[in-house]
């Protein structure tokens, strides 16, 4: 389909596959100004243009204009965000006063990881649909304290979620350094071996596991647009150091830790050999 804008012919075909498998063509009437976040949110919600228009009580032409980059009025933005279960500022970041969002991504803070509500870990995992990322040296508490952790993680992976796990490399230098710091005589490497054994036995092949040899300033646990960051302090076990619960809004906090995770992931090695070890 072609649309004419400022005297130019522009290819504006966009496809949206609904949850029922039907493909819908979206007409976008702007030059390179597609609201990709809105399009993806509609896709995840299984809504086409007509469905979103009906739920939002607007015309289909209005939804097409949103997809082409037009920003709805505040009341409508709030309604659409609620329908799509996304943050308003995520769908239309240019419409929100950035200064008013300072600190808004911080859902909660806890003085120690042990103070995080026990149920929160599983609630975040169960609500995830797209991205589940873990970065720790071992993270043994997840598999030992939450019996449903591994079965749920496996279910998410089989359902299409991208699951990536970064654990400390037993052959690297950082685990040995952390052992000396904690004075526990090889205990960290033992924890990593235990976790690798758990994941190796129960996780499907689609779960990606890598081993990193980087200084661990924070442990990162990402669940779609929510994240738990466990800040580390020298000489103090992770269970007794502060934790931040973040929810992506404008990305000021969230994006920093996503970037950090991606850097560690790129430098890590596949855990295949360690998983195959007896």
């Amino acid at each position: 389909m072609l649309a004419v804008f400022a005297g130019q012919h522009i290819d504006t075909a966009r496809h949206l596959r609904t949850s029922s498998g039907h493909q819908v063509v979206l007409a976008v009437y702007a030059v390179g100004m597609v609201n990709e976040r809105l399009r993806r949110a509609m896709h995840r919600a299984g809504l086409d243009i007509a469905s979103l228009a009906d739920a939002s009580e607007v015309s289909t032409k209005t939804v097409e204009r949103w997809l082409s980059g037009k920003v709805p009025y505040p009341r409508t933005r709030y309604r659409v965000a609620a329908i799509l279960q996304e943050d308003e500022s995520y769908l239309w970041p240019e419409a929100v006063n950035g200064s008013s969002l300072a600190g808004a991504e911080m859902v909660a803070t806890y003085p120690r990881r042990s103070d995080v509500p026990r149920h929160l870990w599983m609630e975040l995992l169960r609500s995830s649909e797209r991205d589940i990322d873990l970065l720790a040296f071992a993270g043994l508490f997840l598999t030992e304290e939450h019996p449903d952790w591994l079965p749920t993680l496996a279910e998410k992976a089989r359902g299409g979620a991208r699951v990536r796990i970064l654990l400390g490399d037993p052959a690297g230098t950082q685990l040995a350094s952390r052992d000396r710091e904690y004075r526990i005589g090889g205990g960290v490497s033992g924890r990593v071996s235990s976790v690798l054994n758990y994941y190796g036995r129960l996780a499907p092949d689609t779960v990606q596991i890598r081993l990193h040899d980087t200084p661990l300033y924070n442990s990162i646990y990402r669940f779609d647009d929510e994240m738990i960051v466990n800040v580390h302090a020298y000489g103090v076990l992770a269970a007794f150091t502060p934790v931040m619960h973040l929810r992506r809004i404008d990305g000021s906090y969230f994006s920093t830790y996503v970037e950090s995770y991606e850097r560690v992931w790129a430098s890590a090695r596949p855990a295949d050999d360690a998983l195959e070890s007896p």
Side-chain angles (χ1 to χ4, degrees):
M1 175 166 48
L2 296 177
V4 177
F5 184 87
Q8 299 179 358
H9 290 277
I10 306 149
D11 186 357
T12 60
R14 298 290 186 271
H15 295 87
L16 177 69
R17 189 173 296 278
T18 67
S19 57
S20 62
H22 296 101
Q23 197 173 64
V24 179
V25 178
L26 307 182
V28 180
Y29 299 101
V31 182
M33 294 295 291
V34 181
N35 188 331
E36 185 65 17
R37 292 183 177 185
L38 177 59
R39 188 191 72 82
R40 287 178 180 272
M42 291 171 63
H43 173 81
R44 289 192 294 268
L47 297 176
D48 58 15
I49 290 177
S51 299
L52 182 59
D54 183 60
S56 306
E57 301 179 2
V58 298
S59 68
T60 56
K61 290 292 185 182
T62 296
V63 176
E64 289 173 357
R65 286 194 288 269
W66 295 344
L67 287 163
S68 71
K70 182 177 175 60
V71 178
Y73 292 113
R75 181 177 298 179
T76 306
R77 289 200 305 267
Y78 179 83
R79 184 188 309 141
V80 174
I83 293 168
L84 298 177
Q85 297 185 352
E86 293 283 358
D87 287 304
E88 175 187 343
S89 56
Y90 172 73
L91 296 172
W92 295 284
E94 70 278 13
V96 181
N97 181 355
S99 61
S100 67
L101 291 175
E105 288 190 311
M106 192 80 67
V107 177
T109 58
Y110 306 92
R112 295 171 296 275
R113 192 189 70 204
S114 55
D115 293 324
V116 176
R118 182 182 175 87
H119 62 83
L120 181 61
W121 298 97
M122 288 306 304
E123 285 181 3
L124 291 175
L125 179 60
R126 291 190 182 103
S127 66
S128 301
E129 297 180 354
R130 308 185 311 275
D131 296 293
I132 301 169
D133 294 332
L134 279 66
L135 167 61
F137 272 141
L140 186 60
F141 74 98
L142 291 172
T143 56
E144 288 193 336
E145 297 177 13
H146 302 278
D148 292 335
W149 177 264
L150 282 169
T152 305
L153 192 73
E155 179 185 347
K156 292 296 180 179
R158 286 191 288 265
R162 182 184 66 172
V163 180
R164 300 184 298 175
I165 299 173
L166 277 165
L167 301 174
D169 191 341
T173 62
Q174 294 300 320
L175 284 187
S177 176
R178 188 56 62 97
D179 268 331
R180 291 192 296 272
E181 176 188 335
Y182 289 158
R183 301 178 182 178
I184 53 179
V188 179
S189 294
R191 292 176 186 176
V192 173
S193 297
S194 296
V195 172
L196 284 171
N197 180 53
Y198 285 137
Y199 285 124
R201 287 188 294 108
L202 299 176
D205 294 339
T206 50
V207 173
Q208 304 174 65
I209 304 176
R210 292 187 183 182
L211 303 176
H212 71 91
D213 190 28
T214 56
L216 198 63
Y217 304 114
N218 306 278
S219 292
I220 298 173
Y221 308 90
R222 180 187 178 185
F223 309 91
D224 289 347
D225 293 327
E226 306 223 19
M227 182 183 291
I228 300 292
V229 178
N230 190 181
V231 180
H232 296 308
Y234 183 81
V236 182
L237 292 172
F240 303 104
T241 55
V243 165
M244 298 181 290
H245 177 190
L246 307 178
R247 179 176 297 134
R248 181 166 60 183
I249 298 180
D250 66 338
S252 298
Y253 285 92
F254 198 93
S255 298
T256 297
Y257 292 103
V258 169
E259 180 181 354
S260 177
Y261 187 95
E262 295 299 339
R263 287 174 181 264
V264 178
W265 182 261
S267 67
R269 69 179 179 91
D272 298 345
D273 292 342
L275 289 171
E276 292 171 0
S277 299

